[in-house]
Amino acid sequence: MTALIEVKSLKKAFGDNVVLRDISTEIQHQEVLVVIGPSGSGKSTFLRCLNLLEEPNGGTITIDGRNLMDSTNKINEIRMELGMVFQRFHLFPHMKVIDNIMLAPIQVRKWPEDKARKKAMELLSKVGLADKANALPDSLSGGQAQRVAIARALAMEPKIMLFDEPTSALDPEMVGEVLGVMKQLAKEGMTMVVVTHEMGFAREVGDRVMFMEQGVIVEEGKPEQIFEAPTQERTKSFLSKVL
């Protein structure tokens, strides 16, 4: 079976600072890959390279058979298949919640307004916020805002969802409501790449866990293998501090 995402020898540097050194991995259809590691290990840069928010310095990224580095491929078309959720919610503060969700499907997918509205309401129900459709983002809690951000990403009907530490800016009691939505997406078969410090989520929901440090993949495997029987000393040392 062909992988949905194929990364080969990915390299990224910012000036003299080499952030990714020769990263290679594959992500299968409906797989949940959870990326863990200390701050500054290259996790977020890896994620941002997957949709070219950061331009790699070397290697290839192939998504659904299309090479992102091939300039003849239309990057915006490939990007439509990738939903991204950031640490900060990036909602448009002057627009109602429902309009935030409808914007991209109307502008990018060229959906008629009634179709976009129906989809937005379905997604708000899915994330438990149908009653907030006409609210402004400033009136939402952090957990609510992040769930709206997830709904907004899903509105484009992506094949893959990328999550960059989606709970790290939230108060502890709001973390669960966002992880709950992500668990549901995983159950429904969404392909997901999740950078997170939430080890419980990684263990429970991940199909595979990838531990990164200093721009390399130190170790990757099934959650039970990584958490219960890591083979690398560096993985053991990191987990002993966070578990």
Side-chain angles (χ1 to χ4, degrees):
M1 190 167 96
T2 320
L4 186 54
I5 303 175
E6 198 174 344
V7 179
K8 282 188 182 162
S9 303
L10 181 65
K11 297 177 183 68
K12 176 65 185 173
F14 298 97
D16 294 336
N17 179 20
V18 181
V19 182
L20 298 177
R21 309 164 190 269
D22 210 20
I23 297 278
S24 296
T25 191
E26 291 187 349
I27 298 147
Q28 306 299 331
H29 290 260
Q30 301 192 326
E31 183 178 20
V32 178
L33 172 66
V34 182
V35 186
I36 63 170
S39 295
S41 57
K43 307 183 300 293
S44 292
T45 302
F46 167 67
L47 204 65
R48 291 169 69 85
C49 283
L50 292 182
N51 63 1
L52 290 197
L53 284 176
E54 298 292 355
E55 189 95 19
N57 298 118
T60 59
I61 300 169
T62 307
I63 292 181
D64 209 10
R66 293 191 286 183
N67 179 0
L68 289 193
M69 310 303 167
D70 180 347
S71 56
T72 61
N73 278 323
K74 295 183 175 133
I75 178 60
N76 286 337
E77 277 182 17
I78 302 173
R79 265 206 192 118
M80 279 202 240
E81 308 302 339
L82 296 155
M84 179 123 185
V85 178
F86 301 88
Q87 290 182 29
R88 300 280 170 190
F89 328 117
H90 297 311
L91 299 175
F92 294 110
H94 59 289
M95 295 172 73
K96 290 176 181 172
V97 161
I98 192 161
D99 295 323
N100 264 281
I101 298 171
M102 290 167 61
L103 185 67
I106 290 173
Q107 288 197 347
V108 182
R109 291 252 188 230
K110 307 299 182 201
W111 286 7
E113 189 175 325
D114 55 342
K115 179 181 178 182
R117 187 174 297 280
K118 182 167 179 274
K119 180 75 179 178
M121 282 310 300
E122 280 171 16
L123 288 167
L124 281 172
S125 296
K126 183 186 185 89
V127 300
L129 292 171
D131 58 329
K132 298 290 186 186
N134 294 310
L136 286 170
D138 282 355
S139 69
L140 304 177
S141 71
Q144 289 170 334
Q146 193 59 296
R147 284 185 283 156
V148 171
I150 294 172
R152 181 179 59 180
L154 290 171
M156 288 290 286
E157 300 188 334
K159 290 181 179 166
I160 302 155
M161 285 287 283
L162 308 175
F163 292 90
D164 188 9
E165 298 191 16
T167 58
S168 65
L170 300 179
D171 292 334
E173 68 267 26
M174 292 172 187
V175 168
E177 59 193 58
V178 172
L179 293 181
V181 171
M182 293 167 64
K183 284 176 189 173
Q184 187 56 38
L185 287 177
K187 267 198 195 115
E188 291 165 8
M190 174 62 78
T191 306
M192 293 160 59
V193 185
V194 183
V195 170
T196 187
H197 293 291
E198 298 292 333
M199 296 302 147
F201 176 87
R203 190 189 286 249
E204 184 187 342
V205 184
D207 294 305
R208 187 158 48 102
V209 174
M210 187 161 98
F211 172 63
M212 285 181 68
E213 186 178 54
Q214 294 183 339
V216 298
I217 299 170
V218 175
E219 187 167 2
E220 59 183 322
K222 295 265 181 217
E224 53 272 23
Q225 184 256 305
I226 296 293
F227 286 109
E228 287 157 35
T231 60
Q232 301 298 314
E233 283 308 318
R234 187 60 198 98
T235 316
K236 290 177 193 170
S237 159
F238 173 77
L239 291 174
S240 72
K241 293 187 181 83
V242 297
L243 291 178

